[in-house]
Amino acid sequence: VQLQASGGGLVQPGGSLRLSCAASGSISSINAMAWYRQAPGKQRELAARITSSGNTNYADSVKGRFTISRDNSKNTLYLQMNSLKPEDTAVYYCNALITDWSSGRNIYWGQGTLVTVSS
């Protein structure tokens, strides 16, 4: 099983980006999925999380600006980021609790995608 994140880049303050994370492999089911982020010199933190039934929760710092969603038919996770601020600059990692046919239930991480918010 692999998670492939994409969509990062350089954006001006106030701009928008959409991150994607596609899961592939011998997947039986995907439970909760999440986006974490790690800013330079800081610990990795949870940005947003979504359950298999679509319930969501957000860090206070992104609430009202970010929207997490998933397409279960495509095994893909999204993060729509609006009104971006310089403090949103970080490497964004996707994370998922996946049951695969060979090794059971495990947590998987994507490789990270860099988001830079700067003028």
Side-chain angles (χ1 to χ4, degrees):
V1 174
Q2 289 187 330
L3 296 180
Q4 181 69 42
S6 61
L10 174 64
V11 63
Q12 292 187 342
S16 298
L17 278 178
R18 188 192 195 205
L19 306 183
S20 299
C21 175
S24 62
S26 58
I27 296 169
S28 172
S29 63
I30 302 178
N31 301 97
M33 304 181 81
W35 287 100
Y36 285 74
R37 65 183 186 179
Q38 187 167 17
K42 295 188 176 181
Q43 289 188 331
R44 191 174 298 188
E45 64 175 7
L46 176 68
R49 181 178 179 271
I50 184 168
T51 67
S52 56
S53 58
N55 294 317
T56 59
N57 61 281
Y58 297 91
D60 288 343
S61 57
V62 308
K63 203 172 293 184
R65 299 186 299 120
F66 290 11
T67 302
I68 189 171
S69 62
R70 60 193 286 173
D71 185 335
N72 292 329
S73 68
K74 296 180 180 180
N75 290 338
T76 301
L77 175 71
Y78 304 99
L79 186 68
Q80 178 65 44
M81 305 185 293
N82 299 328
S83 303
L84 283 161
K85 305 176 181 180
E87 51 264 42
D88 295 317
T89 295
V91 177
Y92 285 72
Y93 298 90
C94 56
N95 162 289
L97 179 60
I98 296 174
T99 301
D100 71 64
W101 295 107
S102 60
S103 62
R105 182 179 293 187
N106 294 285
I107 294 174
Y108 293 90
W109 290 89
Q111 84 284 10
T113 184
L114 177 62
V115 172
T116 303
V117 185
S118 175
S119 54

